[in-house]
Amino acid sequence: MSQLKVYNSLTRQKEVFESITPGHVGMYVCGPTVSGESHLGHARPYITFDVLYRYLTHLGYKVRYVRNITDAGHFEEEGREAEDKISKKAVLEKLEPMELVQKYTNLFHWAMDQFNTVPPSIEPTATGHIVEQIGMIQEIIKAGYAYEVNGSVYFDVKKYAASHDYGKLSGRVIDDLLETTRELEGQEEKRDRADFALWKSAAPEHIMRWQSPWGVGFPGWHIECSAMATKYLGAQFDIHGGGMDLQFPHHESEIAQSTICNHTAPVRYWMHNNMITINGKKMGKSYNNVIKLTELFSGDHPILEKAYHPMTVRFFILQTQYRSTLDFGNEALQAAEKGLKRLMEAHEWLAKYEIGSTKYEAKDKSLDEKALQLIAEFDEFMNDDLNTAKVLASMFELVPVINGLKDKHIAADALSSNTIQLLQTKLKLYIEDIFGLKSISGEDSGRFNAVMQILIELRKDAKSKKDFVTSDKIRNQLAELGIQLKDEKDGGMSYSL
RNA sequence: GGUCCUGUGGCCGAGUGGCUAGGCAGAGCUCUGCAAAAGCUCCUACAGCGGUUCGAAUCCGCUCGGGACCUCCA
């Protein structure tokens, strides 16, 4: 089997993945800022890295997956007034900051559950790691790479850049950063424009505040990830993931901080997912085109023609390679919805298919070989930087084979018993365990199914008596409820929701 | 302004030198009481212009278009 290769943003090329500690993987993914509701954009990284987590686990690694919750609130420097996103919203909504943070954290967890993502091994909060962050800042000051001004602490980028490659990850040229003509206000404390805050002194109205060696304040917006990643994954760990938009300055600064503090580059493989766009534009607050996940699932948004099931969205995201932009649209989502249904129905039928205990050889050698080839491609494409799009394409080429077996169009022994068994195993592995896809029809309980079987029998009886009024009545009324009856080739009948 | 990415058939998207992914939509056929489902077949694209090459969607140059980051952002 081929080896897993991943695209490393740091080196700008695909590299064979080798973990630092054999058998173990440390993976950190930048989590959400819970100052507001999660939106469609959040779905991409957490689903992408969920699949990576599942895949690494499948490969036999013991993975420690750390994904933080940013609940401390980052300061914004719009114009001159520094303010905390979370504390500002809290005033507007008349909530305690932690109450607000809890609300959106819960909502985030709910959405992630809808997407069937596996919870991370550790989900640390920024507010729970103030001590660690302060400790790290002290280390950086001691090393001479940070300075204090009026109760705030800034990282000295110029000094760091003199001996380190600041900008390596994001392709930034340090001189451009230092000599940019653009002037922002409220930065007079910094020695240099490129410097970034490690600790900010809190104004009196700032609700989220902690005591520190430099006075009352709050942590800068890059330090939390460095502190928590170091604490739970060590000075050097395998994978750091996040959205491409975080590459600069967030991840670049993370590297700088951690490198000074731990005397080593923190991350072996930096992985960045691309953005979701809407009509070609990145989704973001500044574009006013944000679709919240609750709106996506309910269809309650002007852009949406209908509600989309979380599994449809998950499948939609996996239909493209994670480093490409993904353009959102109703037509594309509806295509994904139908495609997912066809794939899942074929998979579910095959999963229940009984091969019997007697082994047999393939009657149709070329079809058998083709199937084996397509199955082998699952691993091959997955190892090529998680090309889930190609894996799905191979699966879809197998769907007509499965449906052929189902309607007897393809002989039961066309494929060898071993091939069918392998297909069952691999499809289950990839669809359910690695891709985390579930059937959309959630009401398929035993009792519901039993009721459906009664209706199916009634329709079959009516049909055999050529009582088409009754048989059509059953079919059409069920259709109105969104339940589709399907007559099959061999006289059987099934339904789908 | 600086740095970088990108332009594929009606829509979404794979694809880094030759063997013309895949999904959805559309057309025809088979099956069927009708319909749906399913199967088979068809629709064979790569922004434009040059260049390199036996051969380019794929490499190089230019033009035009789109986008990202540089500021909170997944």
Side-chain angles (χ1 to χ4, degrees):
Chain A
M1 192 171 121
S2 60
Q3 288 177 289
L4 171 63
K5 284 190 196 142
V6 297
Y7 183 88
N8 189 349
S9 304
L10 202 57
T11 56
R12 273 156 249 271
Q13 59 189 11
K14 287 181 194 171
E15 297 175 353
V16 172
F17 177 77
E18 284 168 12
S19 65
I20 297 167
T21 308
H24 291 258
V25 173
M27 176 164 106
Y28 188 95
V29 174
C30 286
T33 302
V34 285
S35 59
E37 252 192 85
S38 302
H39 52 75
L40 176 57
H42 289 104
R44 176 94 114 135
Y46 305 134
I47 288 172
T48 297
F49 291 108
D50 179 58
V51 169
L52 176 60
Y53 175 49
R54 288 163 174 269
Y55 190 60
L56 289 168
T57 303
H58 155 68
L59 291 179
Y61 290 105
K62 190 153 174 32
V63 186
R64 181 175 291 167
Y65 173 22
V66 181
R67 187 182 66 202
N68 63 293
I69 292 280
T70 298
D71 59 350
H74 295 320
F75 56 88
E76 288 177 327
E77 290 186 312
E78 290 171 357
R80 62 197 59 176
E81 280 187 294
E83 63 190 353
D84 186 304
K85 270 160 78 176
I86 289 172
S87 65
K88 186 189 180 192
K89 195 83 176 277
V91 171
L92 291 176
E93 294 191 12
K94 303 249 191 309
L95 286 170
E96 275 298 314
M98 287 313 287
E99 188 181 359
L100 183 80
V101 156
Q102 189 67 56
K103 174 183 158 188
Y104 291 126
T105 300
N106 291 345
L107 214 45
F108 171 71
H109 285 151
W110 169 80
M112 290 303 111
D113 193 47
Q114 293 293 300
F115 283 135
N116 196 29
T117 61
V118 179
S121 325
I122 301 175
E123 193 171 51
T125 60
T127 55
H129 296 76
I130 301 294
V131 171
E132 287 82 354
Q133 295 179 68
I134 289 174
M136 199 156 186
I137 295 166
Q138 286 176 309
E139 286 294 317
I140 297 169
I141 292 175
K142 205 158 63 179
Y145 285 88
Y147 54 91
E148 184 201 339
V149 183
N150 302 329
S152 295
V153 182
Y154 297 96
F155 189 90
D156 191 337
V157 170
K158 202 178 206 167
K159 178 168 182 184
Y160 176 84
S163 52
H164 300 79
D165 192 357
Y166 188 82
K168 186 184 181 191
L169 177 68
S170 55
R172 217 59 43 152
V173 179
I174 185 68
D175 290 341
D176 293 346
L177 293 171
L178 294 173
E179 291 166 19
T180 179
T181 52
R182 187 166 158 183
E183 282 297 333
L184 289 174
E185 292 178 79
Q187 296 201 60
E188 51 286 335
E189 286 180 353
K190 295 185 190 176
R191 287 183 194 164
D192 201 285
R193 176 180 138 59
D195 294 352
F196 55 87
L198 295 169
W199 187 265
K200 282 290 267 189
S201 169
E205 66 272 17
H206 201 105
I207 300 172
M208 283 200 159
R209 50 203 292 136
W210 291 268
Q211 192 58 246
S212 81
W214 317 284
V216 176
F218 55 94
W221 65 283
H222 310 304
I223 196 73
E224 63 171 271
C225 289
S226 288
M228 295 188 285
T230 302
K231 175 164 184 175
Y232 299 113
L233 297 173
Q236 202 182 26
F237 56 97
D238 299 295
I239 297 171
H240 189 125
M244 259 179 189
D245 49 346
L246 295 179
Q247 221 171 59
F248 188 89
H250 186 55
H251 291 158
E252 198 73 60
S253 301
E254 250 186 88
I255 292 175
Q257 293 163 166
S258 295
T259 300
I260 291 305
C261 213
N262 300 327
H263 315 291
T264 175
V267 177
R268 288 276 286 272
Y269 305 92
W270 282 93
M271 295 177 69
H272 293 96
N273 63 276
N274 216 318
M275 303 288 102
I276 285 180
T277 57
I278 293 180
N279 298 323
K281 283 260 194 297
K282 178 184 143 181
M283 181 167 59
K285 280 166 198 156
S286 40
Y287 295 108
N288 261 324
N289 61 354
V290 173
I291 299 175
K292 293 172 184 163
L293 292 176
T294 48
E295 294 167 338
L296 187 64
F297 300 160
S298 69
D300 186 21
H301 190 283
I303 293 172
L304 303 172
E305 284 172 7
K306 54 168 286 191
Y308 295 102
H309 193 280
M311 276 305 124
T312 300
V313 179
R314 186 174 176 112
F315 177 79
F316 176 63
I317 286 171
L318 294 180
Q319 253 190 321
T320 152
Q321 210 268 348
Y322 72 93
R323 284 190 295 115
S324 302
T325 55
L326 172 57
D327 200 36
F328 174 92
N330 284 289
E331 209 177 338
L333 257 290
Q334 284 162 32
E337 187 175 78
K338 289 183 183 173
L340 173 64
K341 189 179 175 193
R342 195 159 78 94
L343 178 66
M344 291 308 287
E345 285 179 0
H347 163 56
E348 282 164 1
W349 179 84
L350 185 72
K352 289 178 191 154
Y353 183 71
E354 306 266 353
I355 306 171
S357 51
T358 324
K359 297 275 177 198
Y360 51 87
E361 292 302 308
K363 279 263 174 55
D364 187 340
K365 291 284 183 208
S366 77
L367 184 67
D368 194 74
E369 272 172 36
K370 185 189 163 197
L372 287 173
Q373 171 62 29
L374 288 166
I375 294 166
E377 284 172 354
F378 297 176
D379 294 332
E380 192 187 316
F381 294 148
M382 199 60 186
N383 281 337
D384 184 16
D385 196 29
L386 310 185
N387 200 329
T388 53
K390 288 188 83 169
V391 175
L392 285 171
S394 296
M395 283 185 194
F396 272 108
E397 291 202 62
L398 286 161
V399 167
V401 177
I402 296 168
N403 285 332
L405 287 170
K406 182 181 176 184
D407 67 16
K408 313 271 201 286
H409 175 249
I410 293 173
D413 58 356
L415 301 179
S416 76
S417 54
N418 283 339
T419 302
I420 292 182
Q421 204 160 36
L422 184 68
L423 184 56
Q424 285 177 322
T425 309
K426 284 286 193 174
L427 272 186
K428 183 178 188 312
L429 172 69
Y430 268 87
I431 292 178
E432 297 178 23
D433 300 341
I434 297 175
F435 286 2
L437 295 169
K438 289 195 296 193
S439 180
I440 283 183
S441 49
E443 302 164 59
D444 198 359
S445 68
R447 189 179 276 194
F448 176 79
N449 188 50
V451 172
M452 283 305 301
Q453 291 312 319
I454 294 171
L455 288 168
I456 284 174
E457 284 308 313
L458 286 174
R459 175 165 150 82
K460 275 187 187 171
D461 286 349
K463 276 185 68 176
S464 65
K465 290 177 197 150
K466 303 228 184 289
D467 177 7
F468 297 123
V469 174
T470 304
S471 69
D472 286 356
K473 186 176 180 185
I474 293 170
R475 180 223 282 161
N476 297 339
Q477 292 197 348
L478 283 173
E480 281 173 29
L481 295 172
I483 300 167
Q484 181 187 36
L485 281 186
K486 294 187 284 200
D487 295 351
E488 284 156 6
K489 283 268 166 70
D490 54 5
M493 208 178 286
S494 63
Y495 67 95
S496 70
L497 302 174

